[in-house]
Amino acid sequence: MQSVMPIILDVFLPLSLAFIMLSLGLGLTLADFRRLLEMPRAVGVGLIAQILLLPVAAFAMGRLFGLPQELALGLMILSLCPGGVTSNILTKLALGNVALSVTLTGVVSLLSIFTVPALTAFFAGLIMGVEAPPVNVTKLSIALVLMTLVPVSMGVAIRHFAPGFASRIEGPVGKLANLLFVVIVVLAIIGGREDLVENLTTLGPALVALIAFLLITGLALARMTRLDMPTSTAIALETGVQNATLGIAVGSLITPGGAGLAALALPSAVYGVLMYLVVAPFILWRRRM
C-alpha cells in the first residue's frame, strides 16, 4: 500500500477531486448565484458562519484539545474548505433549504480559490511559527483553480447549454462522486494510520466537538437573525460540513507525505468519517420536527 500512496496522492486524488467538483457544477444554475440578491440576509449569515465563525472555532478547538502543531494546522485547513456536494445532500435529508445550501456551496467554493491559500499561509505562521512548512500561495491557488474552478465551471456550462444532458448524467455522476469520496477517505486513513493511532485520542474528540459546536452555533446564529427553520438548517449544515477531499488535497500539496499521508491531511481524512456520525442525530432530529 505504501508504495502506491504517491500515485494515489499525486494522480488519483486531484483527478477525483476534480470529478467531485464537476458533479457540484452540474447541480448549479445561474439562478443559484442570483440568489445572492434574492436572499441577502440568509446568504450573508451563511457566509459569515462559514468564512469567519468556522476558522475561529477550529483554531480554538486545536488549542483547547492541545493538538500537535501539524494536526492543528491540518484542522485549520479543513475549516477553510467549502461544504461540497455532501452538505447539499445532507441538507436535503434534513428537510432544509436545499437551494440556499447549493448557493452557499457554490459561492464559498469559488471564494476558496483565494481564501484557502492566503489563510493557510497565515495560520501556518501563526500556529507553527518558524517551523511552519513553506506555503507557496501562487502554486496552491493555481492547483485549486485546476481542481475546483475549472471543473465547477465545466459543470455549470453543461447545465446551462445542455440541460437535458446534464439532467441525465447528474445522478450517475453524483453517485460516482460520492463513491470516490469514500475511497479517498479510506485510502487516506490507511496511508496515515500510524499518525492516526498515535493521535486519535486527541484528534477524534477535537473533531467531534468542532462539528457539534458548528452545527449548534450555525443553527442558533440563523435563528437569532429570524430565519425560518429550513433556512437555518441549511446554514447549520453548511457551517458544520466541510469538503474533506479538498482538505486532504491541500494538506498533501503543502507537505507531501512521501510513502504515507501528510500529517496536515490527516484531520480531513478522519473528519470524513466522524462527520457522518455527528451529523446523523442532527438530521434525525430535524426530520422528526
Side-chain angles (χ1 to χ4, degrees), residues 19-28 84-85 88 102 105-106 109 152 156:
F19 188 85
I20 291 171
M21 298 309 291
L22 173 66
S23 72
L24 170 64
L26 285 173
L28 291 172
V85 182
N88 305 152
V102 171
T105 297
S109 293
V152 167
V156 173

Side-chain angles (χ1 to χ4, degrees), residues 12 20 173-185:
F12 180 73
I20 291 171
V173 168
K175 291 178 181 178
L176 181 55
N178 290 331
L179 176 61
L180 288 173
F181 168 75
V182 173
V183 171
I184 289 171
V185 169

Side-chain angles (χ1 to χ4, degrees), residues 27 31 45 48 59-61 65 110 119 129 137-138 150-151 166 170 179 184 194 228 230 235 239 247 263 282:
V45 171
I48 290 173
F59 183 81
M61 290 297 175
F65 285 86
L110 296 178
L119 291 178
V137 174
T138 301
V150 171
E170 184 178 6
L179 176 61
I184 289 171
E194 293 181 1
D228 60 49
I235 292 174
T239 307
F282 177 83

Side-chain angles (χ1 to χ4, degrees), residues 27 140 146:
L140 190 54
L146 295 176

Side-chain angles (χ1 to χ4, degrees), residues 2-268:
Q2 298 297 326
S3 61
V4 300
M5 278 304 293
I7 298 176
I8 293 173
L9 295 174
D10 296 339
V11 180
F12 180 73
L13 175 57
L15 291 177
S16 297
L17 176 58
F19 188 85
I20 291 171
M21 298 309 291
L22 173 66
S23 72
L24 170 64
L26 285 173
L28 291 172
T29 65
L30 298 180
D32 295 319
F33 296 98
R34 286 197 296 269
R35 208 166 282 117
L36 291 169
L37 301 176
E38 297 170 357
M39 304 176 63
R41 180 153 51 101
V43 172
V45 171
L47 291 178
I48 290 173
Q50 279 194 273
I51 297 175
L52 297 180
L53 171 64
L54 216 167
V56 171
F59 183 81
M61 290 297 175
R63 290 295 181 90
L64 180 63
F65 285 86
L67 293 181
Q69 289 183 335
E70 286 188 315
L71 295 182
L73 180 54
L75 187 63
M76 289 307 308
I77 292 173
L78 172 66
S79 74
L80 300 175
C81 296
V85 182
T86 304
S87 63
N88 305 152
I89 297 173
L90 295 177
T91 298
K92 183 177 182 179
L93 291 174
L95 307 180
N97 188 330
V98 179
L100 175 62
S101 176
V102 171
T103 297
L104 288 173
T105 297
V107 172
V108 178
S109 293
L110 296 178
L111 291 176
S112 67
I113 297 169
F114 308 100
T115 58
V116 171
L119 291 178
T120 296
F122 170 76
F123 282 112
L126 181 63
I127 294 173
M128 300 185 67
V130 295
E131 298 179 359
V135 179
N136 189 323
V137 174
T138 301
K139 180 180 178 181
L140 190 54
S141 297
I142 293 173
L144 288 176
V145 167
L146 295 176
M147 292 188 297
T148 61
L149 178 60
V150 171
V152 167
S153 300
M154 289 175 60
V156 173
I158 293 173
R159 167 65 67 181
H160 181 71
F161 294 106
F165 176 69
S167 298
R168 290 194 299 272
I169 67 171
E170 184 178 6
V173 168
K175 291 178 181 178
L176 181 55
N178 290 331
L179 176 61
L180 288 173
F181 168 75
V182 173
V183 171
I184 289 171
V185 169
V186 171
L187 291 177
I189 291 177
I190 293 174
R193 60 185 179 277
E194 293 181 1
D195 288 331
L196 175 60
V197 171
E198 182 179 348
N199 297 284
L200 185 60
T201 54
T202 53
L203 182 57
L207 285 168
V208 170
L210 178 63
I211 300 167
F213 173 80
L214 291 172
L215 286 173
I216 295 171
T217 308
L219 184 68
L221 182 63
R223 296 296 287 165
M224 286 170 57
T225 53
R226 299 183 179 181
L227 295 172
D228 60 49
M229 202 60 187
T231 299
S232 300
T233 298
I235 292 174
L237 287 168
E238 284 295 318
T239 307
V241 177
Q242 313 312 313
N243 188 337
T245 308
L246 181 58
I248 295 171
V250 173
S252 300
L253 283 171
I254 296 173
T255 54
L261 182 71
L264 296 186
L266 189 59
S268 295

